[in-house]
Amino acid sequence: MVIPFEAATQSSNSPERLPIHTLRGVAFQAEETMRQWAHAMATTAQFAFSNPFNPFAATLPVRVTRGYIEFLEHLYAPHKKHEFDFTISDTERQNDLAEELGMPAAEIIPRTIENEEVGLEIEIVDTLPFGRLKHFNVLDSEGQPHETPRPPLLIIAPMSGHFDTLLTGTVYRLMHDYDVYITDWTDVKDVPPEAGKFDLNDYISYLKDHWLPLINARHQPQNAADIRPTVHTLAVCQPGVPLFAAVSMMAEDGSPDTPLSMTLMGSPMDTRISPTEVNETATEHSLSWFVENTISEVPLGYQGTGRSYYSGRAQLFGMVMMKAEDHAKAYQEMATGLTFGPWNEVMEQIKFDHLTLGSRETALRRREFYNEFQTVMDMSAPYYLQTIQVVFQEHHLPRGMFEYADPMTGEKRIIDPSFITDTGLMTIEGAKDDYTGAGQTQAAHDLAVNIPHMMRHHRTQDGVGHYGLFAGKSWRRQIAPDMIAFTRRIDQINGLTYPLRLETVRSLKFAGLWQDERASVAAIEPEA
């Protein structure tokens, strides 16, 4: 499904080209070039100071200097898209299981299904101009797909400035209990103009017309007479709106590929409720202000030269400025910990612990977080501007005026969530979320009025902000088990039975979600 570029330039969601867009694109490219030069200089300096032929390399002043250069290397690193790395997730899982089992973490094999160590292979299932569908294929000891049946789950990663790897901890926690797929959106600078436009309608179409039917087809029982729903979905933050719209239309059309459940996590379903600083920024300015002040044009040197885009770096800057003091403190801890790590080693050896400065362990944790947090992608301008207008400024979905225009035919229709009757709905919010306000995600329950009570569930997680919903200890130990319990309930209602892993039973008990130790899956019954 490719729309000619000429049609994209005439789309109502495509911004008028302004000279400032070109200048801003060149400025972003100049900044990136300067970062690359600074990183190259820091890397060269690090090599010179750590070279074994340097007679001063082992001295404390030079080691401290190397620590500071290590911080500069991180600060100016290009932070390009990378593949999933589950090293940290393995350690976190070992620590979680150690607490559950009461045994040393070093003795625990982190990736297991029914106590059998498993491997992992990432498979590209489908490729479209603006995104790919990835499948995390869990392998047994012989390198074959693991035979333990698990329900398919599509994780819809946000297209809001970060790549799918931001959800590394999310994928890892769920891949033991689900057959996990994830959307992998493409940086718009890497999409040639002839691939056409990409806006909110295309996003919805990718889910409704491509990836949900594809996953469902891959998981149909052998020799099944009719196609039946099998897929669960998880939308993290922004994708809640397009997923909700896609499922509404699929339900209205009677599609057999309609998902069994939707879990919406920190999603801006109705931003009129408890508006945050993010929401207020969107409503304080007109759409033309966003066109003039946030849109750039892809410069020469990229496949997408000439496209209008919203910079991921601009998005990152806005997010950092919202919590400037917190980020400044974190960077100070990182700089101090990396710089004075060698000094601290010497002070500890001579028992002068009171003279230590910072913590290298804390600094490394900060660095790992910012390595991912600063890895940003640029977004299609039509998609960004349409989302600003439809979701944050005019609130089309909760007002019953969300209009979907089919990217292939141009046919328009109003989204009507009342058609959703057989898809379970779980909403999750963080009590300290300052991106998506309290009640904004839960509002989805007021829109899908015909979902049965027993197929609904809402959770507000105390003590976590936006990122704590899908990463960290609360996610792993409390939120994820609750989601697993909910989707298993939905499977039961639909007559689907999957083996309940011993590890899953243990995590449900640990989270206080196991009703009866002697019961079967039927006992897992979260409150509606």
Side-chain angles (χ1 to χ4, degrees):
M1 179 180 62
V2 176
I3 305 298
F5 185 60
E6 291 74 15
T9 60
Q10 300 169 5
S11 167
S12 60
N13 301 310
S14 298
E16 177 186 357
R17 292 178 182 273
L18 302 174
I20 188 62
H21 294 170
T22 303
L23 293 174
R24 193 177 291 123
V26 172
F28 278 128
Q29 182 58 34
E31 179 203 11
E32 182 64 21
T33 301
M34 292 176 62
R35 290 174 61 86
Q36 292 175 0
W37 274 101
H39 183 256
M41 292 174 64
T43 302
T44 302
Q46 185 71 280
F47 174 78
F49 280 108
S50 59
N51 193 307
F53 293 103
N54 182 341
F56 303 103
T59 63
L60 184 59
V62 172
R63 291 172 61 199
V64 170
T65 303
R66 286 208 313 262
Y68 183 67
I69 294 173
E70 184 179 358
F71 169 70
L72 293 179
E73 277 190 295
H74 165 82
L75 189 63
Y76 295 116
H79 296 294
K80 297 294 185 182
K81 177 178 171 62
H82 54 266
E83 292 303 322
F84 281 85
D85 182 357
F86 294 114
T87 304
I88 295 177
S89 297
D90 279 335
T91 301
E92 291 173 340
R93 183 168 172 81
Q94 283 178 310
N95 293 333
D96 289 344
L97 291 176
E99 188 170 338
E100 292 177 15
L101 298 171
M103 60 185 296
E107 298 178 9
I108 295 175
I109 300 173
R111 301 186 201 179
T112 60
I113 292 181
E114 298 298 352
N115 296 320
E116 176 189 357
E117 186 173 4
V118 296
L120 184 66
E121 176 185 66
I122 301 178
E123 170 190 11
I124 305 301
V125 176
D126 189 38
T127 301
L128 296 172
F130 289 87
R132 304 183 300 176
L133 180 64
K134 289 180 179 176
H135 176 221
F136 295 86
N137 197 5
V138 175
L139 307 176
D140 60 22
S141 57
E142 297 180 357
Q144 299 299 315
H146 205 280
E147 295 182 353
T148 300
R150 289 162 293 133
L153 170 70
L154 172 61
I155 300 176
I156 303 153
M159 184 187 281
S160 54
H162 287 97
F163 292 100
D164 57 341
T165 48
L166 183 69
L167 304 183
T168 295
T170 317
V171 170
Y172 187 92
R173 178 60 182 86
L174 297 175
M175 70 184 186
H176 299 86
D177 292 281
Y178 299 92
D179 200 352
V180 174
Y181 297 77
I182 194 170
T183 60
D184 175 21
W185 302 109
T186 304
D187 191 311
V188 72
K189 294 200 303 294
D190 298 326
V191 183
E194 55 268 23
K197 69 172 180 62
F198 186 88
D199 60 17
L200 196 53
N201 296 309
D202 296 286
Y203 193 125
I204 295 169
S205 178
Y206 272 36
L207 301 178
K208 178 176 73 76
D209 301 321
H210 292 274
W211 292 336
L212 283 170
L214 176 59
I215 298 171
N216 196 41
R218 288 167 61 99
H219 291 270
Q220 292 300 302
Q222 291 185 351
N223 304 318
D226 300 306
I227 298 176
R228 63 175 300 173
T230 62
V231 184
H232 296 281
T233 57
L234 168 62
V236 180
C237 189
Q238 161 269 333
V241 172
L243 173 63
F244 202 76
V247 173
S248 297
M249 287 187 286
M250 296 174 81
E252 182 178 0
D253 297 340
S255 170
D257 300 312
T258 306
L260 289 175
S261 75
M262 292 183 286
T263 299
L264 310 181
M265 181 180 288
S267 297
M269 306 305 292
D270 188 349
T271 59
R272 298 173 300 177
I273 303 171
S274 306
T276 63
E277 185 178 342
V278 173
N279 307 145
E280 291 172 349
T281 299
T283 55
E284 287 172 356
H285 301 287
S286 66
L287 193 65
S288 61
W289 183 91
F290 283 96
V291 172
E292 294 174 7
N293 292 277
T294 67
I295 302 304
S296 307
E297 185 177 303
V298 179
L300 294 172
Y302 295 92
Q303 293 186 62
T305 297
R307 278 190 176 277
S308 296
Y309 75 99
Y310 174 60
S311 168
R313 288 228 158 265
Q315 173 85 342
L316 179 65
F317 177 77
M319 295 168 70
V320 169
M321 291 309 296
M322 278 185 61
K323 290 188 170 184
E325 291 185 9
D326 293 342
H327 288 289
K329 179 181 177 182
Y331 263 95
Q332 183 180 16
E333 289 177 346
M334 191 194 323
T336 303
L338 293 177
T339 302
F340 292 100
W343 168 268
N344 293 340
E345 289 179 13
V346 174
M347 293 301 104
E348 289 170 358
Q349 287 175 1
I350 62 177
K351 308 301 181 183
F352 279 25
D353 292 29
H354 59 287
L355 295 180
T356 59
L357 298 169
S359 163
R360 182 169 178 81
E361 182 180 349
T362 299
L364 293 176
R365 286 202 307 269
R366 299 288 190 217
R367 187 176 66 180
E368 290 297 335
F369 170 79
Y370 281 105
N371 278 342
E372 191 60 60
F373 185 71
Q374 294 182 181
T375 303
V376 294
M377 62 177 285
D378 300 319
M379 292 168 276
S380 164
Y383 161 79
Y384 170 74
L385 294 171
Q386 188 181 8
T387 300
I388 290 289
Q389 181 181 23
V390 170
V391 178
F392 293 98
Q393 291 184 335
E394 299 178 1
H395 315 103
H396 286 197
L397 185 61
R399 293 172 61 196
M401 54 183 287
F402 193 115
E403 185 177 73
Y404 169 77
D406 189 291
M408 279 292 288
T409 66
E411 179 183 353
K412 296 181 179 180
R413 59 195 288 190
I414 297 295
I415 302 299
D416 186 355
S418 67
F419 282 97
I420 305 176
T421 58
D422 299 323
T423 299
L425 176 61
M426 180 177 183
T427 53
I428 306 172
E429 296 180 347
K432 293 185 176 181
D433 192 338
D434 46 13
Y435 292 110
T436 305
Q440 291 186 11
T441 307
Q442 190 175 8
H445 291 281
D446 297 326
L447 303 177
V449 295
N450 291 320
I451 297 177
H453 178 75
M454 66 186 303
M455 295 175 64
R456 299 173 179 270
H457 184 40
H458 174 74
R459 181 186 187 93
T460 297
Q461 185 66 37
D462 292 334
V464 303
H466 194 69
Y467 290 94
L469 289 173
F470 55 85
K473 187 177 294 186
S474 293
W475 154 248
R476 299 192 309 272
R477 299 189 180 187
Q478 297 178 321
I479 299 173
D482 202 2
M483 174 185 163
I484 293 167
F486 174 73
T487 56
R488 286 192 173 274
R489 176 181 182 133
I490 299 300
D491 284 332
Q492 268 202 311
I493 292 172
N494 286 274
L496 296 172
T497 302
Y498 294 96
L500 191 56
R501 300 185 310 113
L502 295 175
E503 296 94 330
T504 304
V505 173
R506 197 165 53 233
S507 68
L508 290 170
K509 290 179 181 179
F510 196 77
L513 295 168
W514 184 252
Q515 304 295 327
D516 184 349
E517 292 187 5
R518 296 164 298 177
S520 64
V521 168
I524 307 173
E525 195 164 310
E527 296 179 4

